[in-house]
Amino acid sequence: MFLSLVVPSQLLAVSIQERLAGRILLAIEDHGEAWYIDPITKERTYLKDGASAFALLRSNGLGISEKDFKTLEAKKRSLLNRLSGRIVLRVQAHGEAYYIDPISKKLAYLKDGPAAFEILRTYGLGIKTMELSNVPVSSKSTIPVPANDTLTNESSLQSTWVNLINSRRMSFGLSTLSISPDLQTSSDIWVKYLAGLQTITHTRPANESLINWAQRQGVTVKQNAPAGTSLFAENLGIITTGTGEAELIASTKSLFNMMLSDKTGHHYQTIHDPSWTNMGIAFYLTPLSTGKATLYAVFHYANK
């Protein structure tokens, strides 16, 4: 899977978000990290542990009357279905919080941190990393620390990408690109962030613009560039792969070929953009319980 600055079709992501709205998800291929998908925003929030889950789920609570609470206790399907996946608060009692499981429609009492942890274990749904990556992360969510980067041969993958893109550009009569330290730094920073998110996205914290974010990382671009020329671009990729060098190189080539197949999209245009002079290439590899791994890739291009 890959992303560009142009928003791609979100049909798959929307389907998954709708299907899993209100669920608690467990990243079974990583370290079992727990996420809650808000049924209203369809975004996921990281639940670090029982205490943070208790605080976060309560903060997302919807106040209801005692009359409505009694209706829920009586298992009236219309109200249970309408509030499926929500956390409800008994504001006319003592503010007790309950999670309404979307599948069983049971009310799970969020008494405290240990109770919240037990709810994660009881109602959590295991999900694979690639499926989870289709659900956007809430801007209010904290980010789990990414698994240790197990990639020991990043230079081989970088060389592979440099050769692929420069061979392609030369065949179109375009200038070749070299890696610059500032773009390498910015791509390294973002790939580690994405590995923590367990997804790929161009959205920066606080919705900061891409160019402002890049310049804060020390990226320089050409001043007074002619109108119509590009200054900075970002391409992203994620793929499940084996961990041997030959498999990783094959996966890198697969990402490149997928971007070339997107002939009307931003990936293809970026690879063939005559404005670029330099690039940065970063990879991050996180192991999966299946013996495979998730390879995250970030490519930054600039006009210098």
Side-chain angles (χ1 to χ4, degrees), residues 200-232:
I200 53 175
T201 177
H202 295 293
T203 304
R204 265 48 183 181
N207 291 316
E208 182 178 16
S209 71
L210 182 62
I211 187 64
N212 285 348
W213 178 90
Q215 290 176 329
R216 279 201 307 104
Q217 313 312 315
V219 171
T220 60
V221 295
K222 188 173 185 179
Q223 300 298 312
N224 302 316
T229 57
S230 306
L231 293 178
F232 181 84

Side-chain angles (χ1 to χ4, degrees), residues 93-114:
H94 300 286
E96 297 95 331
Y98 293 80
Y99 169 64
I100 304 176
D101 176 49
I103 303 303
S104 67
K105 299 298 189 292
K106 290 182 179 179
L107 294 176
Y109 179 33
L110 287 160
K111 179 181 179 181
D112 49 27

Side-chain angles (χ1 to χ4, degrees), residues 4 17 22 74 95 118 121 151 164 174 177 184 203 221 224 262 286:
S4 68
Q17 289 168 247
E118 189 60 30
R121 292 181 55 188
L151 189 61
L164 287 169
L174 300 171
L177 308 180
Q184 190 56 49
T203 304
V221 295
N224 302 316
D262 182 29
T286 60

Side-chain angles (χ1 to χ4, degrees), residues 169 174-177 221-222 225-233 269-279 301-304:
R169 288 175 66 86
L174 300 171
S175 61
T176 58
L177 308 180
V221 295
K222 188 173 185 179
T229 57
S230 306
L231 293 178
F232 181 84
Q269 295 170 9
T270 298
I271 289 171
H272 299 87
D273 194 323
S275 304
W276 310 136
T277 57
N278 297 89
M279 61 183 167
Y301 303 92
N303 179 359
K304 292 180 171 290

Side-chain angles (χ1 to χ4, degrees), residues 64-93:
I64 62 171
S65 67
E66 281 299 285
K67 179 182 177 181
D68 281 343
F69 181 72
K70 297 300 182 184
T71 301
L72 291 173
E73 280 193 314
K75 302 187 182 302
K76 296 296 180 65
R77 302 295 293 186
S78 59
L79 187 58
L80 282 169
N81 289 335
R82 182 160 62 86
L83 297 179
S84 175
R86 300 292 300 271
I87 293 90
V88 296
L89 304 175
R90 296 176 64 184
V91 293
Q92 293 177 339

Side-chain angles (χ1 to χ4, degrees), residues 39-297:
I40 303 302
T41 65
K42 307 299 190 297
E43 296 177 332
R44 58 183 162 115
T45 301
Y46 176 47
L47 306 175
K48 180 181 180 182
D49 49 33
S52 62
F54 176 69
L56 186 138
L57 292 174
R58 279 189 61 89
S59 69
N60 283 339
L62 171 70
I64 62 171
S65 67
E66 281 299 285
K67 179 182 177 181
D68 281 343
F69 181 72
K70 297 300 182 184
T71 301
L72 291 173
E73 280 193 314
K75 302 187 182 302
K76 296 296 180 65
R77 302 295 293 186
S78 59
L79 187 58
L80 282 169
N81 289 335
R82 182 160 62 86
L83 297 179
S84 175
R86 300 292 300 271
I87 293 90
V88 296
L89 304 175
R90 296 176 64 184
V91 293
Q92 293 177 339
H94 300 286
E96 297 95 331
Y98 293 80
Y99 169 64
I100 304 176
D101 176 49
I103 303 303
S104 67
K105 299 298 189 292
K106 290 182 179 179
L107 294 176
Y109 179 33
L110 287 160
K111 179 181 179 181
D112 49 27
F117 180 76
E118 189 60 30
I119 287 172
L120 300 184
R121 292 181 55 188
T122 302
Y123 297 104
L125 171 70
I127 187 170
K128 294 183 178 181
T129 301
M130 292 299 288
E131 292 177 316
L132 182 64
S133 69
N134 285 299
V135 183
V137 178
S138 168
S139 60
K140 299 178 182 178
S141 176
T142 58
I143 304 303
V145 176
N148 291 333
D149 187 4
T150 59
L151 189 61
T152 59
N153 49 357
E154 184 176 22
S155 60
S156 295
L157 305 191
Q158 290 172 329
S159 297
T160 298
W161 194 266
V162 168
N163 291 335
L164 287 169
I165 193 168
N166 281 338
S167 295
R168 181 75 181 185
R169 288 175 66 86
M170 288 175 64
S171 70
F172 280 76
L174 300 171
S175 61
T176 58
L177 308 180
S178 59
I179 294 177
S180 65
D182 57 342
L183 292 171
Q184 190 56 49
T185 296
S186 65
S187 57
D188 282 336
I189 290 172
W190 196 242
V191 81
K192 291 175 183 176
Y193 180 81
L194 297 182
L197 285 182
Q198 299 170 348
T199 189
I200 53 175
T201 177
H202 295 293
T203 304
R204 265 48 183 181
N207 291 316
E208 182 178 16
S209 71
L210 182 62
I211 187 64
N212 285 348
W213 178 90
Q215 290 176 329
R216 279 201 307 104
Q217 313 312 315
V219 171
T220 60
V221 295
K222 188 173 185 179
Q223 300 298 312
N224 302 316
T229 57
S230 306
L231 293 178
F232 181 84
E234 174 180 83
N235 281 349
L236 308 174
I238 181 174
I239 191 170
T240 300
T241 178
T243 57
E245 183 168 3
E247 294 170 294
L248 289 165
I249 289 175
S251 293
T252 301
K253 292 179 178 179
S254 292
L255 285 175
F256 186 78
N257 290 331
M258 283 190 286
M259 291 184 181
L260 285 185
S261 68
D262 182 29
K263 290 188 177 181
T264 60
H266 182 77
H267 292 103
Y268 188 91
Q269 295 170 9
T270 298
I271 289 171
H272 299 87
D273 194 323
S275 304
W276 310 136
T277 57
N278 297 89
M279 61 183 167
I281 306 165
F283 296 93
Y284 200 102
L285 190 70
T286 60
L288 301 174
S289 61
T290 59
K292 298 283 190 176
T294 302
L295 182 66
Y296 299 86

